[in-house]
Amino acid sequence: MSTLPRPDLPHVIVVGGGAAGLACAWRLGERGAKVTVLDPRRAPHDEGSHGGFTRVTRHAYHEGTSYVPLVREADDAWCGLERTPGELLVRTGMIEFGPVDDADFMAVLEACRACDIEHTMLDAAALRERYPVEVPDAWQGCFTPSGGYLRVGACLEAMRARAEAHGAQVRTGARAVAVEPGRVVLEDGHVEGDHIVLAAGVGTPSLMPDPGCKLSVVRRLLFWIRPRVAAPSLPVWGAMTPGGFFYGFPHGNEGVLGMKLACHTSAAIPGLDEPIEVESVDRSLRPEDWAPVEAFLRAHLPSLGTERIEHKVCMYTVTPSWDFLVDRHPSIPRLTVVSGLSGHGFKFAPALGRLAAALVLDGEAAQPEFAWSRHV
Ligand SMILES: Cc1cc2nc3c(=O)[nH]c(=O)nc-3n(C[C@H](O)[C@H](O)[C@H](O)COP(=O)(O)OP(=O)(O)OC[C@H]3O[C@@H](n4cnc5c(N)ncnc54)[C@H](O)[C@@H]3O)c2cc1C
């Protein structure tokens, strides 16, 4: 299982030791490259994009059917890292529901059809009967047994362990202040390498030399509620409502004893996608953060109540299309960027690491939707 770095392969410096960076370190190390990871902190932590203990994985990808092979690959890889089933990936199944003519809901159904994803359709009555949801008669549900959630801390630990088993050096206390061809400048020195992978999450936009591509950082909230009913029969769920895309997790004890839920996107919430400065992100809870989530609960999960017990502020690094950026820098070929994971990247980490290793070691072209040219 473990390998030593091959002297004929480049020494790769990976900036960022979060979801993407550890995946890149693992996949590059597995291919035989010498790898050094730099991060000020040891993940998991709450400073970037992976805070909050759990992340959804889902196969009926409404963002585009090209993501489906990647999520399948990543799921297999997560399971391959597990010592016992369910250690990293908890396969609860996923129920997604919304108006039948909602574009995202229709895209879920299209993904099921085009990619042969096992699913069960439910009409509004069946939805109400099976789950504690309240929906208009014209809404439908789609249950996919392949959906579930990932345990963030365990996933990061497993990727780090695999990277280290392949000889990667994972350094903490190492904040990059600049990325230059062939070297990364730290607060107290620099590190030289043959190739650099910039995977610093919300730190990426400010470190990107000669940017020319559009990455911004937006703020998001995660909430936990104490449900009024003892054990609500909900797996991982996603609701495509006219007020936005809300999602949540089963009741459980993953970091916080309660039910976690959040709003991913909403054209109805003013300023939700306003770019922010990472250093001065507002970590307080504003009334407008909770109001749409509370309104969603009252309208669609009324039996759970609205007793909020915890919240966390997190950030997405987004591209204009919300597709990922996984490509070599156009004017610095020995710099590869894995960023812009746009609030839905965690589940893909093992596959993104494999793509990055192919860019770095094989000179492969980027997957078209992740190419630099798409995000300028
Ligand atoms: C609220 C919320 C909910 C989400 N839900 C889901 C979900 O359900 N499913 C899903 O698949 N995805 C989800 N995501 C997205 C997913 O968590 C991110 O796409 C993923 O964590 C991004 O990985 P990353 O490595 O780019 O960033 P991170 O995981 O944040 O890692 C970046 C690392 O870079 C380090 N770093 C930063 N600056 C520097 C520097 N100057 N020098 C060195 N290192 C640096 C940081 O310390 C950090 O460890 C969610 C994100 C948020 C915020």
Side-chain angles (χ1 to χ4, degrees):
M1 172 92 55
S2 65
T3 50
L4 285 178
R6 279 172 41 188
D8 57 316
L9 291 181
H11 174 202
V12 185
I13 311 291
V14 178
V15 183
L22 290 174
C24 291
W26 159 31
R27 295 310 207 174
L28 284 157
E30 176 179 75
R31 296 277 312 270
K34 179 180 175 189
V35 179
T36 305
V37 181
L38 306 172
D39 198 307
R41 314 219 23 199
R42 183 182 172 93
H45 57 75
D46 285 344
E47 301 296 311
S49 295
H50 62 250
F53 314 110
T54 50
R55 289 293 180 267
V56 174
T57 180
R58 53 191 163 88
H59 285 208
Y61 228 70
H62 67 262
E63 289 87 341
T65 52
S66 60
Y67 284 93
V68 178
L70 286 179
V71 75
R72 285 175 164 155
E73 172 191 337
D75 266 20
D76 287 347
W78 291 123
C79 293
L81 289 178
E82 291 181 331
R83 289 163 300 187
T84 50
E87 184 188 12
L88 306 187
L89 198 170
V90 184
R91 195 90 70 178
T92 62
M94 177 161 193
I95 180 69
E96 286 169 275
F97 55 94
V100 278
D101 58 353
D102 177 273
D104 287 342
F105 187 69
M106 288 195 294
V108 166
L109 306 188
E110 170 56 18
C112 288
R113 194 199 55 76
C115 302
D116 200 17
I117 295 167
E118 185 185 343
H119 67 287
T120 307
M121 294 301 298
L122 291 96
D123 62 17
L127 267 174
R128 291 185 207 113
E129 191 183 334
R130 195 175 295 185
Y131 305 110
V133 300
E134 190 45 59
V135 292
D137 288 340
W139 288 25
Q140 286 193 355
C142 175
F143 178 77
T144 43
S146 48
Y149 68 89
L150 293 155
R151 296 188 157 122
V152 167
C155 289
L156 296 172
E157 285 298 340
M159 291 196 290
R160 182 187 294 107
R162 203 51 79 91
E164 286 176 339
H166 291 299
Q169 197 199 357
V170 183
R171 283 179 56 183
T172 52
R175 179 183 298 279
V177 293
V179 170
E180 299 168 355
R183 71 178 209 152
V184 177
V185 182
L186 301 174
E187 286 170 317
D188 55 355
H190 70 271
V191 184
E192 293 184 359
D194 303 307
H195 199 114
I196 296 164
V197 172
L198 179 52
V202 298
T204 301
S206 62
L207 286 171
M208 187 90 90
D210 187 12
C213 111
K214 296 193 180 89
L215 284 178
S216 56
V217 176
V218 301
R219 179 177 169 275
R220 282 296 185 277
L221 269 285
L222 291 165
F223 297 101
W224 284 260
I225 61 162
R226 181 177 293 122
R228 265 199 311 238
V229 286
S233 59
L234 265 176
V236 169
W237 56 270
M240 285 134 180
T241 78
F245 178 44
F246 296 82
Y247 65 96
F249 295 76
H251 186 252
N253 190 15
E254 301 278 357
V256 174
L257 179 57
M259 284 185 86
K260 180 174 127 177
L261 79 161
C263 175
H264 176 50
T265 54
S266 175
I269 303 175
L272 188 67
D273 293 336
E274 214 50 58
I276 56 146
E277 295 298 327
V278 177
E279 306 309 325
S280 55
V281 58
D282 182 359
R283 293 201 178 266
S284 67
L285 175 63
R286 306 172 188 155
E288 62 268 31
D289 295 325
W290 173 240
V293 179
E294 185 178 27
F296 169 82
L297 281 168
R298 287 190 198 286
H300 298 296
L301 294 169
S303 64
L304 303 190
T306 58
E307 188 190 345
R308 197 185 67 236
I309 51 175
E310 180 72 81
H311 74 274
K312 265 183 200 296
V313 173
C314 234
M315 291 172 273
Y316 296 168
T317 309
V318 297
T319 64
S321 64
W322 290 47
D323 285 316
F324 309 151
L325 170 60
V326 186
D327 200 357
R328 280 180 300 271
H329 191 290
S331 57
I332 310 174
R334 288 187 295 128
L335 171 62
T336 293
V337 183
V338 182
S339 187
L341 303 189
S342 302
H344 62 118
F346 193 93
K347 64 181 81 58
F348 296 100
L352 299 180
R354 199 249 321 146
L355 290 177
L359 287 164
V360 173
L361 301 178
D362 307 326
E364 262 187 19
Q367 203 160 296
E369 62 276 30
F370 303 160
W372 183 282
S373 56
R374 281 217 54 217
H375 306 307
V376 292

